[in-house]
Amino acid sequence: MLAIPKRNKVFFLILISIFLFSCDENTEFNQYKSLENSSWKANENVVFDFVVKDTIQPKNLFINIRNNNEFEFSNLYIITNLKFPNGTEVVDTLQYQMADASGRFLGNGFTEIKDNKLFYKEHKIFPFSGDYQLSIKQAMRKNGEVNPIPFLKGITDVGLSIEKISK
């Protein structure tokens, strides 16, 4: 029989526990896209394709942002474009607070990587079943400038999660 060192047993136990507790029966969609060099290029769309089958039960949609210490701002502006199966598009400009007044990042995490679960749509009932697409791009600008920041440093991943609302 193969002997596994004790420290590896503990590691595997922790890994399995994280996996089991991270699986949530209310989560219908959860996907992340990594950004090259932890930098979000201006006008670079991060695109998520998902299928909606349930047009009755409301859902919460979250935009998930992972940032590291290279992120230089206390807030984040993004532009979203949600495309419906019937061709309708809904565009939103959103602002999220990423740090408190002292500059401490608000996300969860024990390392320099912070995971932010940000509300995008609350109690959303999708009107049509079918294929949807959400594109997200950063809209950060320096004060007094019109053009977006060419490379927004410190954003490592962008994600989308869709969760059923528990009754």
Side-chain angles (χ1 to χ4, degrees):
M1 178 179 255
L2 180 65
I4 299 174
K6 186 174 183 177
R7 71 173 188 267
N8 286 348
K9 287 180 184 177
V10 173
F11 173 74
F12 286 121
L13 181 62
I14 292 171
L15 187 63
I16 290 170
S17 298
I18 290 170
F19 176 74
L20 291 175
F21 288 111
S22 66
C23 295
D24 185 354
E25 63 195 39
N26 289 330
T27 301
E28 290 188 350
F29 182 87
N30 189 28
Q31 187 177 64
Y32 280 86
K33 305 258 177 112
S34 294
L35 299 177
E36 188 177 340
N37 298 320
S38 300
S39 181
W40 199 347
K41 297 175 190 167
N43 300 315
E44 175 186 8
N45 286 312
V46 180
V47 179
F48 299 94
D49 295 305
F50 58 97
V51 177
V52 171
K53 296 178 183 173
D54 180 0
T55 60
I56 296 171
Q57 185 175 7
K59 318 255 188 288
N60 285 331
L61 283 72
F62 298 93
I63 293 174
N64 303 305
I65 303 289
R66 288 188 183 129
N67 68 285
N68 62 28
N69 290 337
E70 291 182 19
F71 188 70
E72 301 172 345
F73 303 94
S74 62
N75 60 0
L76 175 67
Y77 285 91
I78 60 173
I79 297 172
T80 61
N81 185 353
L82 180 61
K83 295 180 184 176
F84 291 72
N86 69 348
T88 301
E89 295 185 24
V90 176
V91 177
D92 291 305
T93 302
L94 305 166
Q95 176 194 7
Y96 296 107
Q97 185 175 354
M98 302 294 284
D100 63 16
S102 69
R104 187 180 63 85
F105 288 121
L106 299 174
N108 295 321
F110 297 110
T111 65
E112 76 166 40
I113 304 290
K114 298 301 179 195
D115 199 358
N116 300 274
K117 186 176 181 179
L118 310 167
F119 268 108
Y120 168 51
K121 303 275 185 190
E122 291 183 76
H123 300 282
K124 172 74 176 166
I125 297 175
F126 289 99
F128 309 103
S129 60
D131 297 329
Y132 284 75
Q133 184 179 76
L134 177 68
S135 63
I136 307 168
K137 66 180 176 179
Q138 62 101 343
M140 296 292 287
R141 288 156 172 67
K142 292 191 177 181
N143 283 339
E145 293 187 19
V146 175
N147 295 324
I149 295 172
F151 295 95
L152 182 60
K153 295 183 293 183
I155 303 295
T156 62
D157 303 278
V158 178
L160 171 67
S161 58
I162 302 172
E163 299 176 6
K164 290 186 265 183
I165 298 174
S166 301
K167 294 180 181 178

